[in-house]
Amino acid sequence: MTSDHTQTTATVRLRSDGAVDDETLAYARRKIDAVLSRPGLPAVTGEVRVVRAAAHHAGRPWSATADLHVGRWRVVVLAEEATGAEAIDQLQDRLRRQTDKAAHAGHEGHRTAAPPWRGGPPSE
């Protein structure tokens, strides 16, 4: 069952499936906003989904998935844990790493120079 607990801040939607309580969604919104509202980050669009499995025997019934566009780069992150807070914390850590990579991808200052046999500057 997909609930209609859709929240939108900027252009990132937060959705939930299964028995996800409002407190967990509020916690997820705070953690996601902390990652995506950092200065220097390009425009971010996409969706974050928090899911609680209905199966009681599942070892990791909580999952959180982010499918975002950071500037011109696509970032997809998945986290699965035993509790909602743990899944969201893991998602936040992975999302921060991936958005940092996407934000810095394409900066010429971060690349090494091409070797001379590939058209780079001659070695002295």
Side-chain angles (χ1 to χ4, degrees), residues 67-91:
D67 186 359
L68 306 173
H69 290 277
V70 180
R72 61 186 184 116
W73 299 96
R74 184 172 183 199
V75 174
V76 179
V77 180
L78 171 69
E80 294 178 329
E81 285 297 330
T83 68
E86 289 173 352
I88 292 164
D89 289 342
Q90 188 178 63
L91 180 82

Side-chain angles (χ1 to χ4, degrees), residues 7-72:
Q7 301 174 2
T8 305
T9 299
T11 52
V12 176
R13 296 178 68 188
L14 175 61
R15 299 185 67 183
S16 65
D17 288 345
V20 180
D21 57 299
D22 291 334
E23 183 179 321
T24 303
L25 286 174
Y27 182 72
R29 175 52 64 195
R30 285 192 307 272
K31 293 293 193 167
I32 293 163
D33 286 345
V35 172
L36 301 180
S37 63
R38 293 175 294 152
L41 203 60
V44 179
T45 60
E47 178 177 279
V48 175
R49 182 172 289 212
V50 178
V51 178
R52 183 174 183 187
H56 298 289
H57 63 278
R60 295 182 188 181
W62 287 88
S63 66
T65 308
D67 186 359
L68 306 173
H69 290 277
V70 180
R72 61 186 184 116

